[in-house]
């Protein structure tokens, strides 16, 4: 216990002596004052700049987002307009195609009618040529046959043509009447 008594007689090690306490307190106030005057404004300035940068960044981000939204709306409007224009062009192309098809059909019909008319005209010309050739051949054969039957030559061409034409005309009339 002696040790305890000795310790009790000495000062408490946790409580410093008064002069040291006053000097420590004055040093603390000087250091705190220096830090408050010099360092604290710089810290506040950096914190304020940081706050402004963050707020500015947020404002810039909001502005960029607003701008992006408006650009998106413009793109959507342009896309809708382009789709509308494409639909209009497609409709015009379909109408032009239908018109072109109708024109081509009409032209084809006209050409077909021309070909048919030309064919009929050619057939009629061929028929007339065949009838004329047939008339001549039948006339020549009839004259030759009549000459052989009569026993003399019937070479008078003018009279022969009249007789043959009259005979063939009578045959055609009879054929027409029979129909």
């Amino acid at each position: 216990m002696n040790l305890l008594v000795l310790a009790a007689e000495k000062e408490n090690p946790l409580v410093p002596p008064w002069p040291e306490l006053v000097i420590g307190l004055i040093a603390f106030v000087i250091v705190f004052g220096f830090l408050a005057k010099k360092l604290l404004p710089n810290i506040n300035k950096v914190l304020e700049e940081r706050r402004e940068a963050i707020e500015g960044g947020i404002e810039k981000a909001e502005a960029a987002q607003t701008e992006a939204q408006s650009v998106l709306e413009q793109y959507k409007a342009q896309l809708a307009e382009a789709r509308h224009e494409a639909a209009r062009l497609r409709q015009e192309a379909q109408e032009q195609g239908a018109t072109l098809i109708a024109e081509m059909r009409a032209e084809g019909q006209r050409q077909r009618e021309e070909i048919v008319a030309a064919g009929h005209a050619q057939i009629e010309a061929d028929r007339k040529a065949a009838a004329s050739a047939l008339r001549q051949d039948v006339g020549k054969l009839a004259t030759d046959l009549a000459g052989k039957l009569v026993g003399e030559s019937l070479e008078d061409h003018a009279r022969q043509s009249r007789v043959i034409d009259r005979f063939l005309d009578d045959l055609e009339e009879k054929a027409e009447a029979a129909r």
Side-chain angles (χ1 to χ4, degrees):
M1 282 242 241
N2 242 350
L3 198 51
L4 280 176
V5 173
L6 254 175
E9 286 176 10
K10 268 190 152 184
E11 291 183 19
N12 189 355
L14 294 178
V15 178
W18 280 105
E20 285 180 17
L21 188 62
V22 170
I23 291 174
L25 188 59
I26 291 174
F28 178 75
V29 168
I30 291 173
V31 169
F32 185 77
F34 173 75
L35 289 177
K37 282 285 188 188
K38 294 291 182 184
L39 193 59
L40 191 61
N42 286 339
I43 291 174
N44 283 337
K45 179 180 159 189
V46 168
L47 288 176
E48 183 64 27
E49 287 174 357
R50 199 167 200 197
R51 184 186 61 80
E52 287 175 2
I54 290 172
E55 287 178 358
I58 290 172
E59 289 174 1
K60 286 179 184 178
E62 288 174 353
Q65 186 177 10
T66 304
E67 183 179 348
Q69 188 67 27
S70 69
V71 168
L72 177 65
E73 293 300 321
Q74 288 176 350
Y75 285 147
K76 284 182 180 179
Q78 288 176 350
L79 182 61
E81 184 179 330
R83 285 182 179 156
H84 178 69
E85 181 68 16
R88 185 185 65 77
L89 289 174
R90 192 171 35 250
Q91 180 66 28
E92 283 180 9
Q94 287 175 348
E95 290 171 359
Q96 287 176 354
T99 304
L100 186 61
I101 288 172
E103 288 174 0
M104 295 307 274
R105 282 186 180 157
E107 179 65 20
Q109 183 70 21
R110 185 190 62 77
Q111 288 178 355
R112 184 187 69 83
E113 289 172 1
E114 285 178 3
I115 291 170
V116 168
H120 286 303
Q122 183 65 36
I123 289 172
E124 183 63 26
D126 289 345
R127 188 188 66 76
K128 285 182 181 179
S132 174
L134 184 64
R135 244 177 216 257
Q136 288 176 359
D137 289 344
V138 168
K140 179 150 176 49
L141 288 174
T143 332
D144 289 345
L145 182 62
K148 286 183 183 179
L149 286 176
V150 172
E152 62 184 69
S153 175
L154 300 173
E155 289 295 323
D156 184 11
H157 288 292
R159 191 174 72 179
Q160 178 184 359
S161 289
R162 284 192 309 266
V163 170
I164 292 170
D165 286 340
R166 194 174 46 235
F167 176 73
L168 289 176
D169 287 339
D170 287 342
L171 281 178
E172 283 181 5
E173 287 177 11
K174 287 180 185 176
E176 290 286 326
R179 285 188 198 173

